[in-house]
Amino acid sequence: MRDLVTEEDVRDRHPIVIVGCGGAGITTINRLHHLQAPRARTIAVDTDRQHLDMVQADSRILIARSLTRGLGAGGSPDIGRRAAEMARSTLEAVLEDAELCFLTVGLGGGTGTGAAPVVAQIAKDRGATVIVVVGYPLNKERESLARAEEGVAALYRVTGSVVVLDNNRLQPRNQVRTHGQAFTAMDQLMAETIKAISEAISEWSLINIDIDDLRAVMSRDGAAVMLVGDTDRGSGARGAARACLSHPLFDIDYHGATGALFHITGGSDLTVQAAEEVVRELMYELDPMADLLWGARAEPGFEGCVRVMAIMTGIRSARFPRTTR
Ligand SMILES: Nc1nc2c(ncn2[C@@H]2O[C@H](COP(=O)(O)OP(=O)(O)OP(=O)(O)O)[C@@H](O)[C@H]2O)c(=O)[nH]1
Ligand SMILES: [Mg+2]
């Protein structure tokens, strides 16, 4: 297993920026802002003035007021894209010193779907590693699905890697019944995941994650699937790993993944040895050649519980072919 990073390494980290585009994206940003992701700037980007007014973020950017009069993109990704282009200089300024940029968006609407690839390109051009986490529409949202398909392809062309969280997959896991409940559960999960990763980089944790290693794992060509499981300590390492592996949030076979990021959260009772055992259990599922990175952290409120999060990256399929970046 890899060396630990030192406390100085952690303190010297460069800024992490978390950007949300469109309604779903800025809702996640609002949650993250309240969860107080460490050392991370939050940026909310939308064409919808009313919605922007309702969220809290370090920067709130209303894009293309003259195009949409602050009323949203009405489901048109073309308007979303043009809106982001019109706000290019503002977006460039807020992304100037970003080293790591998380970009979160619910695909299927106008603003997020159209603007996110523009934002991703701007961050990438400024030298940031861009980690895109997208929500995929419910099967019932037929028009949104077609737009989402285009959106994911456009993002993939820019970044070569997209973490897809399918709203449909949340329902059995969280026993959610309505669209609203599915979306709320997804927003919370996205926010907590981004917070866990950014804390593992920028706060002193049981096992920290090195930012360069994170870059290497997350930049692997292909789709990425996230898996999350919660158990109590009594279930042991195997139980915790099983809980995670049985909850993929995107319907894709992850066994061909070429990279994996694991993160274990427990209470003050979590030890490095216990976390290592969980990681060992998870590793059985991976290609032995896969690039593995993991972190662990004790959080108040997790006493007696373990949360295991895995992001399997570099999964190639017809939809996510090799890129020529
Ligand atoms: N996680 C989450 N997803 C949502 C929420 N609202 C909508 N969605 C999903 O995200 C997709 C895009 O919706 P929005 O983010 O509201 O759309 P937008 O990007 O603001 O686009 P316009 O309103 O057309 O400008 C929808 O098709 C839903 O699948 C939410 O509050 N949370
Ligand atoms: Mg909207």
Side-chain angles (χ1 to χ4, degrees), residues 21-28 46-48 51 71-77 80 105-114 135-138 141 144-145 147 167 179-180 182-188 190:
C21 286
I26 68 172
T27 305
T28 301
D46 205 346
T47 53
D48 183 335
H51 201 167
L71 295 174
S76 162
V105 52
L107 290 177
T111 305
T113 309
Y136 223 69
L138 296 165
E141 302 177 278
S144 300
L145 275 171
R147 289 194 287 261
N167 280 315
H179 284 196
F183 291 153
T184 302
M186 184 58 91
D187 295 336
Q188 187 68 17
M190 281 205 191

Side-chain angles (χ1 to χ4, degrees), residues 224-286:
V225 59
M226 193 168 111
L227 308 95
V228 185
D230 291 297
T231 47
D232 52 43
R233 283 291 305 278
S235 310
R238 182 165 299 174
R242 285 285 128 218
C244 168
L245 293 169
S246 53
H247 290 126
L249 291 168
F250 181 41
D251 185 14
I252 193 166
D253 181 9
Y254 59 79
H255 290 91
T258 60
L261 166 68
F262 300 145
H263 190 269
I264 293 124
T265 312
S268 51
D269 48 347
L270 180 70
T271 61
V272 172
Q273 290 75 6
E276 262 173 0
E277 275 175 41
V278 178
V279 171
R280 236 175 267 127
E281 291 290 336
L282 291 167
M283 277 165 65
Y284 290 128
E285 293 292 320
L286 280 185

Side-chain angles (χ1 to χ4, degrees), residues 121 124 153 155-161 219-222 316 320-325:
Q121 187 70 58
K124 194 179 155 198
L155 281 164
Y156 188 63
R157 279 194 297 275
V158 176
T159 62
S161 173
S219 314
R220 293 187 162 257
D221 251 15
R316 275 209 289 275
F320 299 95
R322 185 183 292 279
T323 64
T324 51
R325 287 170 305 142

